């Protein structure tokens, strides 16, 4: 939430498909935006123009702190109560890895200084590890590789 609340209007250019994020230690990173995020930001910028004071630089303005706003969004989306922004980051990282992203790219997207932090941050399932192993290792399995059923692997 702190990274989102620290965003200024100047950090966002929805037309570019990227956003500039300032993380821990004032480290800057450029993060891609999904098409859904781009559409939502365009809509938000229209609403924001109606409610933000002219000199206000913060991207997200309103009456409540980020935590309360997140809870309202979570509830309206029908998501479980235990869901948090931190859980969303974990889920994002895990989904990226399970769908073929490499650990180094996920590290950059999350803004982690250390790859070991990213590794601890993700939750790779055993089933996924087995699928990756079976797909990538030439001697892992005979399934789908034209081998005989009792062939040594």
């Amino acid at each position: 939430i702190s990274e989102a609340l620290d965003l200024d209007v100047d950090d966002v250019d929805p037309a570019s498909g990227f956003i500039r994020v300032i993380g821990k230690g004032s480290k800057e990173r450029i993060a891609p935006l999904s098409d859904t995020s781009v559409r939502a930001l365009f809509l938000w910028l229209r609403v924001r123009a109606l409610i933000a004071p002219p000199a206000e630089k913060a991207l997200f303005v309103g009456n409540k702190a980020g935590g309360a706003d997140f809870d309202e969004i979570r509830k309206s989306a029908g998501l479980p109560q235990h869901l948090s922004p931190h859980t969303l980051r974990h889920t994002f990282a895990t989904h990226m890895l399970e769908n073929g992203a490499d650990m180094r790219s996920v590290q950059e997207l999350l803004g982690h200084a250390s790859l070991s932090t990213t590794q601890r941050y993700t939750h790779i399932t055993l089933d996924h590890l087995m699928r990756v192993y079976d797909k990538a290792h030439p001697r892992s399995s005979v399934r789908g590789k034209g081998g005989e059923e009792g062939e040594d692997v």
Side-chain angles (χ1 to χ4, degrees):
I1 287 179
S2 63
E3 286 182 355
L5 293 177
D6 288 344
L7 291 171
D8 287 340
V9 176
D10 297 338
D11 296 327
V12 179
D13 177 15
S16 74
F18 293 94
I19 189 167
R20 184 175 71 102
V21 180
I22 307 297
K24 288 182 182 176
S26 298
K27 288 182 59 180
E28 178 181 318
R29 71 182 187 277
I30 303 298
L33 295 168
S34 67
D35 292 343
T36 302
S37 296
V38 168
R39 285 190 298 276
L41 275 171
F42 272 122
L43 291 173
W44 170 246
L45 288 171
R46 279 198 207 144
V47 172
R48 185 195 175 283
L50 301 173
I51 62 174
E56 179 62 59
K57 290 288 186 187
L59 176 62
F60 296 111
V61 294
N63 296 328
K64 297 183 179 179
D69 290 338
F70 181 82
D71 281 343
E72 287 178 20
I73 293 166
R74 181 193 49 73
K75 286 177 190 173
S76 69
L79 297 171
Q81 186 173 358
H82 69 273
L83 189 72
S84 69
H86 194 67
T87 304
L88 291 175
R89 280 177 60 90
H90 277 270
T91 303
F92 167 80
T94 300
H95 286 180
M96 292 293 293
L97 290 167
E98 287 185 345
N99 286 286
D102 62 276
M103 187 68 72
R104 179 71 177 96
S105 296
V106 175
Q107 174 192 1
E108 284 294 317
L109 290 168
L110 294 176
H112 290 157
S114 167
L115 192 59
S116 63
T117 302
T118 307
Q119 289 169 327
R120 288 192 313 262
Y121 212 84
T122 60
H123 302 288
I124 303 298
T125 65
L126 186 55
D127 286 342
H128 175 72
L129 286 175
M130 289 308 298
R131 284 193 304 274
V132 170
Y133 177 78
D134 284 344
K135 181 179 177 185
H137 195 282
R139 306 290 266 157
S140 68
S141 171
V142 295
R143 292 184 302 260
K145 296 186 179 170
E148 294 300 321
E149 237 351 272
E151 182 179 312
D152 290 337
V153 287

